[in-house]
Structure formats: C-alpha cells, structure tokens
Amino acid sequence: MARLLKHSVVAGIVVACAVTATAAQDKSGEKTAEPATKLESSLAKRGRLILTDSYELGTMVAVGEMKMDALVIYEPGAEQQRIRGIRIVVSVVRQSSTSFLDMEEIDSLSKAIEYMTILAGAWNAGNRDADRKVTFSTRGDFSLSFYHNKSETSGFASSGAVMCFFELKDLRTLKEMIDKGSAILQTK
C-alpha cells in the first residue's frame, strides 16, 4: 500500500511537471501585440531609464469613471526627443483598462467630440425612428461613442473591454479635458 501511494505521488508530480512545462511552452510561443502608440512603445522599453512627467487633466464620473493625464516621456540625455500624449484610464466596478493617445491623435479626438456634440443635438431634435450610433476609435484601443434610439441618447467610452457610460452633456467636459491636455503638451 505504501509503495502504491509512493508511486501515485511520483506519478502525480511527473504529470504536474509535464503540464507546467507544456503551459510554459504555450505561453512562450504566443506572440505579444506590438505597441499601438509611441507612448506604449516608450513605456515598454526595458533596460533603460525612462522619465515620465504626468499632468492631471481630470476625471469624469458617471456609470464608471474615466481619468485622463497628459504624459511627457523621455530618456535622460535625450530630452529633445520627448514623446507626448494622453493616458486614459476607464474603470467600472473593480475593472480598469488603460489606453494611450499620441499627440498626433489629440486634435482628431477633440474635433470628433465637437462633431458628436453637434450631432447629438441634431439627433435629439429630429426623427427618433432610426437607431443610430457614432464612434471614434484611436490606435491605442480607446473608443468614444454615443447612441440614439427611440427612448434614449447616451454616450460611452471604452478602453479595451472596459466600458463606462455617461450623459451627452458630459461630452463638453471630456472635450475640455482633451483640449487642456493638448495645451499643456504643446508647451512641453
């Protein structure tokens, strides 16, 4: 009986080691996604000293939360090669996801929000027969959308799979945060 128990334990250890080794091979064989933005790429560098200056732009709280910071990233001795952009953290309950917006995308997002604000007003005043949705997406996996259907109009933002909802009047607040970030970053 003791011998059978000893063999069972040894067999269990061998199986556990084989499963662990297979799992490690599977993980090492997976390809990781290339960083979509310059900010992500800079923050992912290893073996280098990276400095990050962060400027709080604000937080929008509704059903979930969206927090924004302007970022300036650079290496010592290479201060002239600063990478600038905005970090957007979308949170709901106990989940959060971070997206990055390079400087080159900030103006496009600001213009998209302005257009969405005008469009939402027109849709609210017009025909409610059609269900409509408008979306702006960035390279860094951030999306800003609003929808209009027969009973309501609402906005939502997502970073990866995490989504928060807000009222359309909050688009103005969001645009102010984005424009504030743009103004700060242009001086850095």
Side-chain angles (χ1 to χ4, degrees):
M1 182 69 154
R3 185 175 168 177
L4 180 60
L5 181 59
K6 182 178 177 182
H7 288 299
S8 296
V9 169
V10 170
I13 291 171
V14 169
V15 168
C17 289
V19 168
T20 303
T22 302
Q25 285 176 345
D26 290 346
K27 286 183 182 177
S28 66
E30 291 179 9
K31 289 185 178 180
T32 57
E34 290 293 319
T37 66
K38 295 175 192 173
L39 286 169
E40 288 175 277
S41 182
S42 291
L43 291 170
K45 288 181 180 178
R46 300 292 182 240
R48 295 182 177 169
L49 183 62
I50 305 291
L51 288 100
T52 304
D53 298 337
S54 178
Y55 305 89
E56 187 175 330
L57 301 176
T59 301
M60 196 169 71
V61 179
V63 179
E65 178 179 285
M66 188 172 9
K67 181 180 187 287
M68 293 189 188
D69 298 295
L71 298 179
V72 180
I73 299 171
Y74 53 96
E75 294 182 45
E79 286 82 359
Q80 299 306 318
Q81 298 173 0
R82 294 171 184 250
I83 298 178
R84 301 171 293 162
I86 294 177
R87 172 179 51 210
I88 304 169
V89 181
V90 177
S91 305
V92 62
V93 188
R94 288 182 222 163
Q95 295 180 334
S96 69
S97 180
T98 302
S99 293
F100 295 94
L101 184 69
D102 285 333
M103 186 73 180
E104 298 80 27
E105 291 184 287
I106 294 173
D107 189 50
S108 296
L109 178 56
S110 179
K111 287 177 182 173
I113 295 169
E114 185 175 342
Y115 180 77
M116 287 178 174
T117 303
I118 294 166
L119 190 59
W123 284 0
N124 279 333
N127 184 349
R128 288 189 176 253
D129 290 341
D131 290 346
R132 297 175 173 161
K133 177 183 168 188
V134 62
T135 301
F136 178 86
S137 300
T138 69
R139 291 187 305 253
D141 206 17
F142 174 75
S143 292
L144 181 67
S145 305
F146 80 88
Y147 65 90
H148 170 84
N149 62 31
K150 294 174 185 162
S151 62
E152 69 179 329
T153 303
S154 185
F156 57 97
S158 65
S159 173
V162 180
M163 187 180 300
C164 72
F165 291 85
F166 56 88
E167 295 181 31
L168 289 181
K169 66 180 177 63
D170 294 329
L171 282 172
R172 293 196 193 288
T173 303
L174 184 57
K175 183 170 178 0
E176 289 170 5
M177 290 190 306
I178 294 292
D179 290 346
K180 178 182 175 183
S182 179
I184 289 170
L185 292 171
Q186 288 179 21
T187 66
K188 305 297 176 191

